[in-house]
Amino acid sequence: MCLKFRKEIEEDEEEDKEQSTNSPLPEVPKEEKRSTNFRLLELPDVARIKVIRSMDALEQIKFALSSKRMEGYMKMANNKKSKGCKVHFTGLKSYIATSPGPFLYCGNPDKMNTGGINQELKPWINENLTDLENIINVFERYRNTFPFEKFSLVIHPNSSVNVKAILETSIYKKCYLVVFKEDQLEPDDLEAVMDTAHDGIGIDFVNQEFPLDYDHKNAFKFNFTYYDDARWVRLRHLLSLHNHIRVKLFNHSLGSEDLNAFLKFWVKSDHDMTRIMSIYLWKSIESSVLFKELVVLRIFRFGHTSWLLAADPTKSKRKHPIMSVWWDGMAIVFDTWHLNETFNEGLMVDHVGGVTLAKEYQILRILNEKKDMEEKLKGGDSDERRAEIEESIRKCEKELDANDVYYDEGIPVVD
């Protein structure tokens, strides 16, 4: 559509010139001649916006690059935010992957793939700036013209990529997720990355190898933490989690005893630790060890079996007091939830008619109360006190029966 408009305008102007210099041609009514051609900038604002919104993403970007005036019109027409984009720092082939599809290449044109925008970016490129400065400028102009909700940063460490310089840019400081992939980070660059950790950014180390004795106080201070190589991760790292959003560990050295200790700590913790944690099963996890000395409730929901745990109800700061532990075929997953969150086929949604885990949470509280009473029976209380405890246990059992709880090899289950 973009090229068609330009071509029609140019042909229209060329025809006017020919009629003024060549021999007279048959008169064509002006209305008929203009019936399929129009100048975009001469349209009323509402019509112009409709035409712009009918263009595909590539056409809109090219129009924005044609002049500052058109750039402003694109900004006016695109008042709804798209999902996001990715900025790739790869050295000579750095580019911006936009959510509608086109790639904005800011590097060497000889290295570029077809189907994107490269030479057309010249109006947004300053030859006196470095490649890093130019991609930042292109990104900011693109973001101002075509707003989006969030963006991620993908860094391919190599000799032509200055990682430390990228860490100082506004792109790094404002992105919600940064990914390091392919080539290996230098040790000093890795330390510099860790030093920037805060709870407003996520980190994903794809195929990045770590020393087996690696440690850093900020290793789990990002809100998203993904480690492909997590052989160096120890239980103490998991116990340091505080209001995380997600943790994913691929190749690790954690065993059933470690995860059991993590679950016990989670139950008693004063704060939420992580919304979700996925640990891939390179080691055999034994459920009898994993849930040892813990109160769990087994359910079959959302297409898979889950083991539910409840946080200590005296911990008032816990916003997600119920945990679901389940296997997805490749990893053991630890999900935590609000009591009133609704679910549909395992996905957290705002959905009328969805189910919650509020009932299961109440069952867990009854199970925990029953366990506490049973522990008290082992003490040296008087006969009167023992009778009171036994009555409390019978009351819990009646409540469990009323909620259709039954036992399978000692594990409480509800369908």
Side-chain angles (χ1 to χ4, degrees), residues 89-91 94 130 132 155-169 180 185 188-189 192:
F89 283 110
T90 62
S94 295
T130 65
L132 177 59
I155 300 176
H156 303 247
N158 58 61
S159 59
S160 60
V161 174
N162 187 336
V163 173
K164 293 186 183 68
I166 295 173
L167 300 182
E168 297 297 324
T169 65
F180 292 92
L185 275 165
D188 59 329
D189 287 337

Side-chain angles (χ1 to χ4, degrees), residues 89-105:
F89 283 110
T90 62
L92 296 177
K93 295 187 288 185
S94 295
Y95 60 94
I96 299 171
T98 66
S99 57
F103 283 12
L104 309 183
Y105 293 107

